[in-house]
């Protein structure tokens, strides 16, 4: 019964780490997808004295992906009936040119300031509206979300890793007599510690099967995708070939590494 409890403790600890890693990957993908959406939605409005070629904006700042002219037709249409046709044509000639500029990534507040400064250096650009206040708020919230999720994952990883080390040490103590006898007969350390490595390998495989199975079932219900789709985010929650392989590799590597540390630590004490 005690052996079963130790097995369960190790499996639960490994499963907790794998679950945390997969959730963190989902959060990271969600943030990346949200940043892409923000990048696509974010734009800078530029006012110029004369018409400029779209490629010129890319030359001013390499972070500018594309530029498009904003046609003032809807404004002019609203003035029809209030002004003479001749005056409207004259107004078209005297109106400044407006451009909407899109960037190749979602910028930081410092990058926006530099882009703004670079654009205003051009003699034909009279004004730049970068919506910095709204952008800064969204960017800070996004950055905070990243930091909180990272810290949360690291704390769980650290605490659970200590628990795994404790369980492996317990198993080592339970088999210490048999390991000592084998040492007297000249058995190498890897053979004496085979039971510990076997425990670490078997429990790691069981934990990875449980978590991979849980996320595979979750994938079938598509509940998380539906929740993310409501905020315009479309990502892969779990991929059996990619994520499954990553989780299994992490479980085996971590358990075998910790088992090796426990074995080496025991050797030093002797």
């Amino acid at each position: 019964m005690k052996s079963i409890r130790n097995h369960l403790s190790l499996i639960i600890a490994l499963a907790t780490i794998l679950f945390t890693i997969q959730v963190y990957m989902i959060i990271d993908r969600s943030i990346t997808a949200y940043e892409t959406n923000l990048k696509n939605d974010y734009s800078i409005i530029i006012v110029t004295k004369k018409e400029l070629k779209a490629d010129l904006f890319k030359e001013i700042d390499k972070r500018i992906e594309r530029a498009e002219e904003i046609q003032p037709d809807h404004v002019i249409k609203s003035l029809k009936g209030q002004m003479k046709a001749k005056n409207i044509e004259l107004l078209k000639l005297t109106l400044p040119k407006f451009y909407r500029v899109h960037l190749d990534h979602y910028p930081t507040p410092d990058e926006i300031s530099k882009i703004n400064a670079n654009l205003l250096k051009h003699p034909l650009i009279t004004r730049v509206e970068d919506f910095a206040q709204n952008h800064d708020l969204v960017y800070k919230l996004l950055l905070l979300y990243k930091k909180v999720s990272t810290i949360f994952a690291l704390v769980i990883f650290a605490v659970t890793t200590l628990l795994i080390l404790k369980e492996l040490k317990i198993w080592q103590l339970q088999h210490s007599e048999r390991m000592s006898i084998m040492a007297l007969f000249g058995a190498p350390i890897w053979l004496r510690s085979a039971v510990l490595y076997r425990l670490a390998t078997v429990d790691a495989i069981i934990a990875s099967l449980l978590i991979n199975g849980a996320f595979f079932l979750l994938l079938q219900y598509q509940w998380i995708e539906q929740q993310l789709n409501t905020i315009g985010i479309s990502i892969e929650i779990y991929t059996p070939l990619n994520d499954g392989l990553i989780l299994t590799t992490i479980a085996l590597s971590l358990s075998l590494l910790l088992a090796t540390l426990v074995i080496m630590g025991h050797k030093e004490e002797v």
Side-chain angles (χ1 to χ4, degrees):
M1 183 63 71
K2 189 175 182 180
S3 175
I4 294 174
R5 284 202 303 268
N6 289 337
H7 268 290
L8 286 175
S9 298
L10 189 55
I11 290 170
I12 292 172
L14 283 168
T16 301
I17 287 179
L18 297 182
F19 179 81
T20 303
I21 290 172
Q22 184 61 34
V23 170
Y24 180 78
M25 287 195 292
I26 293 173
I27 292 174
D28 185 64
R29 289 169 188 168
S30 301
I31 292 174
T32 302
Y34 186 61
E35 280 183 320
T36 302
N37 290 345
L38 289 175
K39 188 264 291 187
N40 293 334
D41 294 337
Y42 179 76
S43 60
I44 297 173
I45 304 300
I46 298 174
V47 183
T48 66
K49 296 178 182 178
K50 296 181 180 180
E51 184 177 354
L52 298 177
K53 292 183 179 180
D55 293 339
L56 178 63
F57 294 102
K58 295 181 182 180
E59 296 175 6
I60 294 174
D61 197 293
K62 294 180 180 179
R63 285 162 289 207
I64 294 175
E65 184 178 52
R66 69 184 191 277
E68 55 190 26
E69 185 178 354
I70 302 174
Q71 299 294 338
D73 293 344
H74 64 286
V75 178
I76 294 173
K77 284 181 181 179
S78 65
L79 295 175
K80 284 184 177 180
Q82 303 177 26
M83 296 178 65
K84 294 180 180 180
K86 187 177 181 180
N87 292 335
I88 289 177
E89 292 300 322
L90 183 61
L91 180 63
K92 285 183 180 180
L93 296 174
T94 56
L95 274 176
K97 298 295 181 181
F98 297 88
Y99 293 88
R100 180 179 285 109
V101 168
H102 297 271
L103 306 180
D104 59 3
H105 66 281
Y106 192 63
T108 65
D110 288 340
E111 285 180 316
I112 288 181
S113 298
K114 291 177 182 177
I115 294 170
N116 195 325
N118 290 339
L119 288 169
L120 289 174
K121 287 178 182 177
H122 195 280
L124 294 180
I125 295 177
T126 59
R127 185 177 177 184
V128 176
E129 179 54 64
D130 53 24
F131 308 100
Q133 186 174 358
N134 291 335
H135 169 274
D136 290 356
L137 178 61
V138 174
Y139 186 84
K140 287 175 183 177
L141 288 173
L142 190 66
L143 201 61
L144 177 63
Y145 189 51
K146 276 185 176 181
K147 288 181 179 179
V148 169
S149 60
T150 302
I151 292 172
F152 180 72
L154 289 175
V155 169
I156 293 180
F157 182 83
V159 173
T160 314
T161 300
L162 293 175
L163 179 60
I164 294 172
L165 278 172
K166 180 182 177 183
E167 294 300 329
L168 289 173
K169 286 180 180 179
I170 292 173
W171 270 84
Q172 186 187 49
L173 290 174
Q174 289 178 351
H175 295 275
S176 60
E177 185 177 349
R178 186 179 68 85
M179 293 170 66
S180 298
I181 294 172
M182 293 178 70
L184 290 174
F185 285 95
I189 188 170
W190 65 266
L191 184 59
R192 302 197 305 266
S193 306
V195 64
L196 199 61
Y197 281 120
R198 186 165 60 250
L199 164 74
T201 302
V202 171
D203 288 0
I205 292 174
I206 294 173
S208 61
L209 287 174
L210 287 173
I211 296 302
N212 282 317
F215 276 99
F216 182 78
L217 290 175
L218 189 63
L219 188 65
Q220 307 308 308
Y221 287 101
Q222 298 182 344
W223 180 80
I224 297 180
E225 288 95 329
Q226 292 173 359
Q227 301 303 313
L228 291 174
N229 286 336
T230 58
I231 56 175
I233 294 177
S234 178
I235 62 169
E236 290 184 333
I237 301 299
Y238 172 80
T239 54
L241 291 178
N242 185 39
D243 294 351
L245 183 61
I246 290 174
L247 293 178
T248 302
T249 303
I250 290 174
L252 287 170
S253 301
L254 180 62
S255 58
L256 291 175
L257 175 62
L258 294 178
T260 302
L261 291 176
V262 170
I263 293 166
M264 298 303 293
H266 179 73
K267 183 180 178 182
E268 291 176 357
E269 291 176 1
V270 175

